Structure formats: structure tokens, C-alpha cells
Amino acid sequence: MIRINDLSKEYETKKGSVIGVDRVNLTINEGEVFGIVGYSGAGKSSLLRCINLLERPTSGKIEVNGLDLTKLRGEQLRKARLKIGMIFQHFYLISQKTVAENIAFALKAADTPKEKIATRVLELLEMVGLTDKKDVYPAQLSGGQKQRVGIARALANNPSVLLCDEATSALDPNTTLSILRLLKKINRELNITIVLITHEMNVVKEICDRMAVMQDGRVVEEGMVYDIFSNPQADLTKEFISSVVSFEVPQSILDQVTGRIVKVLFKGNVAGEGVISDMVQNFDVRGNFLHGSIEYIQEVPLGLFLMEIQGQPENITRAITYMEGRGAQVEVVRSGH
């Protein structure tokens, strides 16, 4: 478990003090994948680097598995950091060393007995699917393969926590998906706690259990990923989610719509039910879909629809009440002409 208590980080610049992280409090549970989302400059990278004390916080406390890292120095801190792996956006592999040598470097730095290094390297290469690249140099690898080497290196000393600093930002969508699936596999099989920072909500939607949204050094929203996607509170969170789930309908289409326009949200198993078709049949109204999708978050469906409902006002009201009774959240976007 990671506990971040009242954490702040200030930087001194020529123009004076700048606050990078501003009194953040977070609890990240053992074995979960936790996403930290924000635009550039939000403070998420600074916060991540404070977790393993690559950046020493100005104030506050960080506990990892019950150990207060802010009280550690020298050899004690070095040993604690061995249990916190880190992967980066730009890989940082040693170009003059082979894939195997890059991974072995992390083991040697941790004083792993020489006779155990070769075996451990092979185990790690198998875990990340690169056994055939053992003697290849980084320049001969694709971006996704380089990141797999970075993941293997980060896992070399059996960490309990893995920090991911924009780990997929430099990769194409297909490669990003394969890396995220590898991270989720590692999380499930090794029970490693993963803290992942990103500016991409698709990344969070794919593998995170819980998330926090940062702005100007502060956490503006925190919770289960599914709950935040289905009911975002902060304006910034809504902005991020709109990049994944958009209800934009061309104005030329809206101009032709005469009925009541409603936004309908179905959570969980309700998303698979024929609520809308039942509503149309039972209440003498007509439904016209303007936009719709079903997202799967942690394998649980989230149905989002924008639709026009036509009919007598009292029938439309009864139809909306019926959908709400069946578990839908309904918001009237426009009352109709």
C-alpha cells in the first residue's frame, strides 16, 4: 500500500518558488492499478517521482508498505528503492549493451549474485515475450520492444510497486494496447501495485482500477474508474472523458430535430437490456438515436445514448420515468419545439 499524506513539492526558479505538487493526499491499495491523469504541467510526473524520492518532497509524507521513505537516507533509501520499479516514456536503455545486458545491469546494481543473473534475465525475457531478442541491441528494436525491455528491467529485483511515467505516450495505438495488456498481466500474476501517469483517458479505461485527476498540482477528483466515467464531477474530468466518449452531434442534424432530446446512461448489466425498445413499445412514443455507444470499463458495460423522443408530452414524461425505474440515468438536453 502507498499512502501519500499532505505532500507538496516546490521548485526554486529565477522567478521565484513554483509549486509542482500542492498538498496531495492519496491512498493506493496493494495490488491495484492506479491512474493519475492530467495535462502537461499538472504535477503528475512530479508526484510520481516523489513516490520513490527521485524528487524529495518539500513537505508531507510517503509511506510504501508501511515504510516512511521521507525519513530514509543513503543505503536505507537505496534498498527501499529496489522494491519500487520504474518505467519511462523514452525507455532509457543503454545503447552499447544488448537486451540481456540492459536487464542484467539492474541486477548487478542490486548486488545480485553473479550465478543467478543469467537465469533471472531469461525469466524476465520470457515474461515480456522477448526471449528471441536476448542478444540484440536497442537500436534494432521497435518502440514496443524497447518498452518491454524497460518493463523487464524494472521488474528485475522483484518490486512490489511499479511506477509508469507516460509509459505508452511514445507508442502507436496497437503497440500501446499490447503494452497495457502486458502491464495488466504482470499486475494480476505478480500482484504488483502499478501507478500509471498519463494524459490519455483510453489508457486509464483499459487497465486502471481507480484514478485521480490532477490540475495545478492538486487532485481535483478521485475514485473508481467506472464511477468517474459514468458520473464525472470536475469540469476537467468531464473534458478528459469527452475525449473518449463524445456526444457531439452536427448542428445541422440537431436543427432538424423537433422532439425532446435526452441523454441516457445505463450502468452495468442494465446496459445490455432492451430498456429503450420496451419504452418505445409501452408508451406510444417514437425514439430516434442521435448518438450512442457501449464502453467496457473493467469488463463492465457502460451504455451512453443521445436520442430524440417524439410523442405527447405526458407520454414522453412517463417514458422517461419508466427508463429511470429500470436503472437508467436520464438527462433532458432539450425540451423540444
Side-chain angles (χ1 to χ4, degrees), residues 78-137:
R78 190 185 78 86
K79 285 185 177 179
R81 278 188 181 138
L82 289 177
K83 293 303 176 183
I84 306 174
M86 191 162 186
I87 60 175
F88 305 90
Q89 177 181 355
H90 297 298
F91 323 126
Y92 296 125
L93 303 180
I94 304 168
S95 59
Q96 298 88 354
K97 293 183 181 291
T98 65
V99 165
E101 289 169 342
N102 266 277
I103 299 169
F105 185 79
L107 293 161
K108 290 174 184 175
D111 300 322
T112 304
K114 191 174 180 179
E115 65 274 12
K116 293 184 178 181
I117 289 177
T119 302
R120 180 61 177 155
V121 167
L122 288 176
E123 288 174 358
L124 292 160
L125 285 170
E126 185 173 352
M127 188 181 300
V128 300
L130 288 179
T131 50
D132 60 331
K133 304 295 182 183
K134 175 175 173 287
D135 300 315
V136 165
Y137 288 88

Side-chain angles (χ1 to χ4, degrees), residues 64-65 78-85 157-162:
V64 178
N65 298 326
R78 190 185 78 86
K79 285 185 177 179
R81 278 188 181 138
L82 289 177
K83 293 303 176 183
I84 306 174
N157 296 302
N158 296 303
S160 59
V161 174
L162 184 60

Side-chain angles (χ1 to χ4, degrees), residues 162-265:
L162 184 60
L163 307 179
C164 304
D165 189 358
E166 297 276 10
T168 60
S169 293
L171 307 175
D172 64 72
N174 287 337
T175 306
T176 290
L177 190 58
S178 72
I179 293 296
L180 293 177
R181 286 174 175 167
L182 173 60
L183 289 172
K184 191 63 180 177
K185 176 173 177 281
I186 288 165
N187 165 254
R188 286 174 173 166
E189 293 182 0
L190 304 180
N191 197 40
I192 290 178
T193 304
I194 296 179
V195 184
L196 185 151
I197 69 166
T198 182
H199 59 275
E200 299 171 288
M201 288 298 283
N202 269 321
V203 168
V204 173
K205 181 169 76 76
E206 186 65 34
I207 67 165
C208 293
D209 303 303
R210 292 195 305 127
M211 65 179 287
V213 181
M214 288 190 71
Q215 184 176 29
D216 298 328
R218 294 185 177 185
V219 172
V220 297
E221 190 159 359
E222 176 196 354
M224 298 295 294
V225 171
Y226 192 94
D227 293 340
I228 287 178
F229 263 80
S230 61
N231 189 27
Q233 300 297 308
D235 288 342
L236 179 64
T237 310
K238 293 174 183 176
E239 188 177 316
F240 270 114
I241 289 174
S242 69
S243 69
V244 179
V245 183
S246 174
F247 279 103
E248 290 296 321
V249 176
Q251 188 61 45
S252 59
I253 300 296
L254 292 177
D255 289 342
Q256 299 173 34
V257 174
T258 58
R260 194 175 304 184
I261 299 177
V262 296
K263 188 184 292 185
V264 188
L265 176 74

